[in-house]
Amino acid sequence: MRKKIVAGNWKMNMNYEEGIELAVSLDKYFTDKAPSGTEVIICPPFIHLAAVSQALKSGNIALGAQNCASEASGAFTGEVSASMISSTGAEYVIIGHSERRTFYNEDDSLLNKKTILALESGLKVIFCCGEIKEQRENGSHFEVVKRQIEKGLFPLGKEAMENIIIAYEPVWAIGTGLTATPDQAQEMHLHIRGLVREKYGTEIADKLTILYGGSCNPSNAADIFSRPDVDGGLIGGASLRKDDFVAIVEAREQT
Ligand code: PEP
C-alpha cells in the first residue's frame, strides 16, 4: 500500500501570528478527528517552522519547508540549510517548485544538489515537476517531465528513493483555477511511475507516492484522487483556508 499524502504549501503567505493560528486550529481539528490513512503535512514559511513545530501537538500533522539551500553551511547570507530545517522538527522539504524554477532560475542540477543535501539531513523530499502551458499544447509535456525527473532525481541511488515523493504540478494549473482533468493527472502519474519503474524497479515504483498539485480544491479533489496513480495532493491556495484544507484531506481519506 502506498502512502497517501495531502500537503499544504503556504508559499509566502501568513504572517507569524496568522501562521501559528492556522497551525493550531488544524492541529486541534486533527486531534479530534485523526486522519486514518493519510499523512497530512503543512509547509509554512521558514520563520514559522520552529514555532509551528511546537504548536503541532497531536502528532497527526507533519511539518515541511518550502525550499532549502544548495549548500550545507557557511557564508551564504540569507540562506536556510536543510539541516537547520531538520533541527526545527520538520520532516519534509519541497524542492523544485515551479515558482523556484521560474523566479529563482533553479535548474535541474541545482535541484539535484538540494535534494541530496536534504536527504543527507534526514528530510524527505517532495520533488516537484511539471510542464508549462506551451509544452502541454505542443505535446512535449511527457518529455519535459521525464527530463526534470531524470536530471533532478535519477542521479540518486535506489535507497534514496524511499524518501522521495514526487509532485506533478502542471505549471498552467498552479494558482490559475485551471485544473488538470483527472485523466490528464492519471496519465502523467502513470508515466512518472513508469519512468521510476524502468530506473529503479517495480518495488520502488509501486511504493512511490505521487501527488497532484494545481488548483486542487474541495470540489475537484475527490475526482482527482479517485485515479489509481494519484496518491494525494500538494495544495497551494486552498491550504490557507482551514475548512478547504480539511475538506481536501477528507476527500483523500474517503477515496
Ligand atoms: C502549489 O503551488 O504547489 C499549488 C498547487 O498551488 P495552487 O493549489 O494554489 O494551484
Side-chain angles (χ1 to χ4, degrees):
M1 262 282 274
R2 283 196 285 276
K3 199 184 234 186
K4 297 176 179 181
I5 293 178
V6 174
N9 172 14
W10 293 6
K11 311 194 187 194
M12 197 173 70
N13 294 295
M14 299 266 161
N15 66 26
Y16 184 75
E17 224 181 344
E18 292 163 344
I20 304 302
E21 204 178 298
L22 177 57
V24 166
S25 98
L26 285 169
D27 192 59
K28 179 164 180 354
Y29 182 89
F30 289 116
T31 302
D32 299 340
K33 209 164 180 299
S36 57
T38 306
E39 170 103 323
V40 178
I41 307 168
I42 55 173
C43 303
F46 284 137
I47 66 148
H48 301 42
L49 284 176
V52 168
S53 178
Q54 298 291 314
L56 298 178
K57 299 194 191 306
S58 66
N60 294 330
I61 304 180
L63 185 61
Q66 301 169 19
N67 177 32
C68 69
S70 58
E71 302 296 333
S73 66
F76 300 98
T77 301
E79 289 295 279
V80 176
S81 72
S83 66
M84 289 173 188
I85 293 167
S86 172
S87 72
T88 67
E91 295 170 65
Y92 291 87
V93 60
I94 298 170
I95 290 183
H97 191 280
S98 67
E99 288 148 18
R100 301 291 320 168
R101 292 178 188 261
T102 307
F103 304 134
Y104 301 95
N105 301 316
E106 296 194 355
D107 63 17
D108 296 319
S109 73
L110 181 94
L111 297 173
N112 181 249
K113 207 172 162 199
K114 288 188 177 198
T115 301
I116 290 168
L117 280 171
L119 294 171
E120 281 173 1
S121 301
L123 295 169
K124 295 178 203 111
V125 171
I126 302 176
F127 186 88
C128 301
C129 57
E131 80 285 357
I132 61 173
K133 187 161 166 274
E134 290 69 25
Q135 293 163 336
R136 164 76 46 181
E137 285 169 355
N138 70 23
S140 61
H141 47 295
F142 290 119
E143 197 47 45
V144 167
V145 167
K146 179 173 187 239
R147 206 173 49 238
Q148 290 170 337
I149 290 179
E150 279 178 351
K151 296 203 166 147
L153 288 182
F154 285 1
L156 300 175
K158 201 169 179 174
E159 327 68 57
M161 289 304 287
E162 299 271 340
N163 292 314
I164 298 287
I165 292 118
I166 294 180
Y168 168 57
E169 300 206 301
V171 181
W172 48 270
I174 296 180
T176 58
L178 295 173
T179 315
T181 63
D183 283 349
Q184 286 172 325
Q186 168 58 24
E187 64 175 1
M188 184 59 87
H189 285 221
L190 189 65
H191 172 63
I192 293 170
R193 205 177 299 288
L195 295 170
V196 172
R197 180 170 292 111
E198 248 174 64
K199 170 79 182 167
Y200 296 105
T202 296
E203 200 185 325
I204 301 273
D206 287 348
K207 262 174 56 190
L208 175 74
T209 296
I210 308 178
L211 309 179
Y212 168 79
S215 298
C216 192
N217 61 45
S219 357
N220 59 28
D223 241 10
I224 297 172
F225 296 160
S226 69
R227 299 306 163 113
D229 286 283
V230 180
D231 305 310
L234 178 55
I235 318 298
S239 73
L240 300 170
R241 298 180 291 274
K242 180 196 149 201
D243 292 348
D244 284 359
F245 189 61
V246 160
I248 294 170
V249 172
E250 277 170 5
R252 177 63 290 186
E253 291 268 277
Q254 283 154 23
T255 47

